[in-house]
Amino acid sequence: MKKSIIIALVVALLFAGVNSFANSIDDQINKNQQELDDIKKRLNEGVESLDRNEGQQTDIEREVSALEREIRDREAKIVVLESDIVDTKLAIEVKEVELIEAEKEVQFQNDRMEKRLRTMYKSGNFGYLEVMLGAADFTDLLTRVDKIQMLLDYDQETLLALIEAREFVVQRKEELENYRLKLEADKVEVQLEKVKLQASVNVLEEKKVLLQQDHKALSNQLNELNKDADKITSILKDLELRKKYVGGKMMWPLDLSHTSISSPFGERMHPILLTLKLHTGIDVRAPKGAAVYAAQSGQVIYSDWLGSYGMAVMIDHGGGIITLYGHNSALLVSPGTEVKKGDAIAKVGSTGRSTGNHLHFEVRVAGDYVDPYDYVTNPSN
């Protein structure tokens, strides 16, 4: 009697130890999972920050490009203005020469007319008397008087024309001077615009440098977070392996009328890619819509489209063991759902990279693909 009591106590203690060990592992898994979730959250935030940073850098590059185009436009305007200023200065120099020549002509004509007038003044009436006495007749006299008057009129008209020409040159020179001053002012204004634009470019370039520094710092932080995530993932993998799988033999994931294998586990020539690849599970022929069952109890960790697997379900059975059911036409469970062995979880289909209706069934241990026949028995064998 005492012996049986002692044995019972030992068994109880053993179970208590096992439960305590399991609880300890679960606690460690939960703790590490929370830490991993926190790291993933920070990673997502970091990636978003990087995206924003890169977007801001792109915006700055666009702004700088636009400003540099404006700067080139101002530089081209300055070149044109400088060319116009040179041409205007040359034109002014020409007008200055013309003005000197015009003033000489005016002075010469003025001197000649004054000389003629002085001569006539000194001659007085005698000069006119000579003209009158020297005339052959009255008609000749009138002709001689007209010629004298015409000569005087010509001198005066010539002088006035020269003065007018000189005034025109002076006016044109003033216009050119004013135009040159305007060109100089325009040049200064455009140069100021260029300076302001360059200052804006410099400010943006400084912002870009700061963003690049932030980008580098963020990238380094993300690298460290990824290292931490890898480390914790490795710890979780080890902890999952330390958890004892108590599920026992798995059940066939389809009705017993569907047991024909179209492709076993192992190396094979891929029917679509036509390359030698590891077939990571077994393919079981079944009609579209046939029920797919959970091979063992566990928690659904994925139920959605999964690349080449198409519509897929993944179930975690503990102990690092996960089963996958691929190419379904419909999914009947959602992530987080606790399922029991034999629960319907999907319907057979041909979604994803598939050549026909079938179930792709996988078993993974600690992330590694294993032959499903190590865990499930084909009822047709």
Side-chain angles (χ1 to χ4, degrees):
M1 180 68 176
K2 288 182 179 179
K3 188 175 181 180
S4 61
I5 292 173
I6 291 171
I7 292 172
L9 286 171
V10 170
V11 170
L13 287 171
L14 284 172
F15 273 110
V18 169
N19 289 335
S20 175
F21 176 73
N23 290 336
S24 174
I25 290 178
D26 286 337
D27 290 343
Q28 291 180 58
I29 288 173
N30 290 334
K31 180 181 177 182
N32 281 279
Q33 187 61 54
Q34 288 175 1
E35 190 173 349
L36 182 61
D37 291 342
D38 179 63
I39 289 174
K40 287 181 178 179
K41 181 181 178 182
R42 289 160 62 191
L43 278 169
N44 289 333
E45 291 171 350
V47 169
E48 289 175 0
S49 296
L50 274 181
D51 289 341
R52 283 195 299 272
N53 182 291
E54 290 168 0
Q56 289 171 338
Q57 288 193 55
T58 300
D59 291 341
I60 285 176
E61 287 168 0
R62 278 198 291 264
E63 288 184 55
V64 168
S65 295
L67 288 170
E68 286 176 342
R69 283 195 297 272
E70 291 192 48
I71 288 172
R72 288 193 293 272
D73 176 67
R74 299 307 187 278
E75 288 173 344
K77 285 183 178 179
I78 289 171
V79 170
V80 172
L81 286 168
E82 287 176 341
S83 176
D84 289 346
I85 289 170
V86 170
D87 292 343
T88 304
K89 284 181 177 179
L90 290 174
I92 290 171
E93 290 175 2
V94 170
K95 291 303 175 186
E96 286 174 344
V97 172
E98 290 179 2
L99 183 58
I100 291 171
E101 293 298 322
E103 287 175 344
K104 286 181 180 179
E105 288 289 333
V106 169
Q107 189 62 44
F108 174 77
Q109 183 62 27
N110 188 58
D111 291 345
R112 188 170 68 173
M113 191 174 72
E114 286 181 355
K115 184 178 179 181
R116 198 189 307 278
L117 289 172
R118 280 196 300 271
T119 301
M120 292 177 67
Y121 177 76
K122 288 177 181 180
S123 300
N125 293 332
F126 177 75
Y128 283 102
L129 183 61
E130 280 185 338
V131 172
M132 293 172 64
L133 293 175
D137 51 32
F138 184 71
T139 302
D140 184 35
L141 174 63
L142 292 176
T143 301
R144 289 189 175 205
V145 171
D146 286 342
K147 285 182 177 179
I148 292 171
Q149 188 61 47
M150 286 174 62
L151 183 60
L152 291 172
D153 290 343
Y154 172 76
D155 286 342
Q156 188 174 9
E157 288 174 2
T158 301
L159 180 61
L160 290 173
L162 289 171
I163 291 172
E164 185 177 345
R166 183 190 65 183
E167 290 301 321
F168 176 77
V169 173
V170 170
Q171 181 182 354
R172 182 59 183 149
K173 181 188 173 187
E174 288 179 356
E175 290 174 355
L176 288 170
E177 283 287 359
N178 291 333
Y179 182 58
R180 181 186 65 79
L181 291 173
K182 181 181 181 303
L183 290 174
E184 294 283 3
D186 289 346
K187 178 184 172 183
V188 170
E189 183 179 350
V190 174
Q191 285 175 328
L192 286 174
E193 289 176 1
K194 179 187 171 184
V195 169
K196 289 179 181 178
L197 289 168
Q198 188 59 55
S200 298
V201 169
N202 293 341
V203 170
L204 289 172
E205 291 290 359
E206 289 173 3
K207 286 184 180 178
K208 184 179 177 182
V209 169
L210 292 175
L211 285 170
Q212 288 173 335
Q213 292 172 352
D214 291 344
H215 190 279
K216 184 177 180 181
L218 282 169
S219 296
N220 291 336
Q221 289 175 14
L222 289 178
N223 288 336
E224 291 301 317
L225 286 171
N226 276 316
K227 289 178 183 177
D228 292 342
D230 290 342
K231 190 183 298 182
I232 293 174
T233 300
S234 178
I235 292 171
L236 285 169
K237 184 176 179 180
D238 291 339
L239 289 170
E240 286 289 348
L241 288 174
R242 289 167 62 189
K243 285 178 66 177
K244 187 177 180 182
Y245 172 66
V246 294
K249 202 71 174 177
M250 295 182 181
M251 69 170 280
W252 190 248
L254 293 165
D255 287 328
L256 298 183
S257 56
H258 309 309
T259 59
S260 175
I261 304 298
S262 59
S263 184
F265 176 85
E267 294 286 339
R268 67 163 184 177
M269 182 64 68
H270 196 282
I272 296 176
L273 301 178
L274 301 179
T275 56
L276 194 64
K277 290 176 67 70
L278 171 67
H279 187 229
T280 55
I282 58 174
D283 289 347
V284 187
R285 294 187 183 93
K288 182 178 181 180
V292 177
Y293 305 113
Q296 187 54 273
S297 299
Q299 185 181 61
V300 177
I301 58 173
Y302 191 89
S303 181
D304 205 337
W305 186 272
L306 189 61
S308 60
Y309 288 107
M311 302 283 280
V313 174
M314 295 176 70
I315 301 175
D316 184 356
H317 305 288
I321 296 177
I322 292 173
T323 53
L324 180 145
Y325 312 77
H327 305 305
N328 303 291
S329 61
L331 304 175
L332 307 180
V333 290
S334 56
T337 303
E338 295 288 342
V339 294
K340 294 187 181 300
K341 186 177 185 178
D343 285 351
I345 58 171
K347 292 184 179 181
V348 171
S350 184
T351 57
R353 190 175 290 165
S354 169
T355 57
N357 293 312
H358 71 283
L359 170 66
H360 175 83
F361 177 63
E362 281 184 13
V363 178
R364 301 180 186 179
V365 179
D368 296 326
Y369 304 107
V370 298
D371 190 341
Y373 282 146
D374 292 341
Y375 289 84
V376 68
T377 301
N378 189 330
S380 65
N381 293 340

